[in-house]
Amino acid sequence: EFRRVLFRSSEATWQDLLPGRPEPYFLEAGDGERAIVFDQLFTVLLSKDETDGQFGAFTMEARQGQLIPAHSHVKDHETFYVVEGSLKVFVEDHDGNQVSRVLNAGDFAFVPATYIHAFRVDAPYAKVFGACTAGFERFFHELGQPTDDTGAPTVPFIPPMEQMIGAFQKFGNIPKLDQQWKE
């Protein structure tokens, strides 16, 4: 039997939105576990629970904005597949060499764990699909605020400092607030 999972719009909660175990299910456009993180909407489509700890999948939607703070992940890999719009991804390797690339719809980038990186939405609107190391998809829940809104947020959510520190520690994210990027 296949499940169709719906977001209960009457309350912003993640409980029971995804099956929580490996079984077939379907999501319609906009469905999933949604959280606002700063000026971005993250929707978890698939978590480590549905993949027996193999990987997670999510989307990010945002309007044109500022560069997100540079950071690296202790153990988590991250991907960027642009579905709509464009964004610029910045990466620094372990020798300090920097590269940046504008990604348009259909373009893809991979950032392995431990590489310093950041991105900025360069189009009026962008939607990005990401696959990640299992469990990392929950970082957006820890850092953000649950929402029943769909689409790029019009009102940002700035998490309290304690929430940011807790999320970064729990998920092994290392902020690089003094990072300078070459355009």
Side-chain angles (χ1 to χ4, degrees):
E1 177 179 314
F2 292 94
R3 271 176 72 149
R4 180 173 171 271
V5 182
L6 292 173
F7 188 84
R8 286 170 286 173
S9 61
S10 62
E11 57 184 39
T13 180
W14 298 305
Q15 188 174 359
D16 300 325
L17 291 180
L18 300 179
R21 61 191 167 284
E23 68 176 43
Y25 67 96
F26 300 96
L27 297 172
E28 291 185 359
D31 287 347
E33 300 174 350
R34 298 188 297 270
I36 296 174
V37 179
F38 300 106
D39 62 350
Q40 303 160 2
L41 175 72
F42 285 89
T43 304
V44 174
L45 306 172
L46 182 69
S47 77
K48 68 178 183 170
D49 300 324
E50 289 78 39
T51 66
D52 275 338
Q54 294 179 30
F55 62 95
F58 59 90
T59 60
M60 182 281 298
E61 296 177 68
R63 290 178 172 76
Q64 190 169 17
Q66 300 295 314
L67 183 70
I68 67 155
H71 61 283
S72 63
H73 308 284
V74 172
K75 65 177 182 64
D76 297 306
H77 305 301
E78 195 169 359
T79 64
F80 299 82
Y81 176 79
V82 180
V83 176
E84 187 177 339
S86 66
L87 67 136
K88 189 168 190 176
V89 177
F90 300 81
V91 180
E92 182 174 290
D93 70 16
H94 299 133
D95 295 324
N97 300 308
Q98 292 185 0
V99 64
S100 63
R101 178 79 50 94
V102 173
L103 301 177
N104 296 301
D107 292 344
F108 174 84
F110 171 66
V111 179
T114 72
Y115 282 77
I116 299 169
H117 61 285
F119 70 89
R120 176 185 67 225
V121 173
D122 280 349
Y125 166 85
K127 183 172 187 175
V128 176
F129 173 80
C132 59
T133 307
F136 179 71
E137 71 282 352
R138 298 291 186 213
F139 170 70
F140 308 115
H141 286 50
E142 291 283 329
L143 186 59
Q145 172 180 304
T147 185
D148 57 4
D149 293 342
T150 58
T154 55
V155 177
F157 169 73
I158 309 300
M161 187 57 68
E162 306 80 41
Q163 184 175 347
M164 280 194 266
I165 291 169
F168 270 69
Q169 288 176 341
K170 181 175 180 177
F171 288 90
N173 290 357
I174 302 168
K176 306 289 184 179
L177 301 178
D178 60 344
Q179 181 72 30
Q180 299 294 312
W181 296 105
K182 300 172 195 163
E183 289 279 340

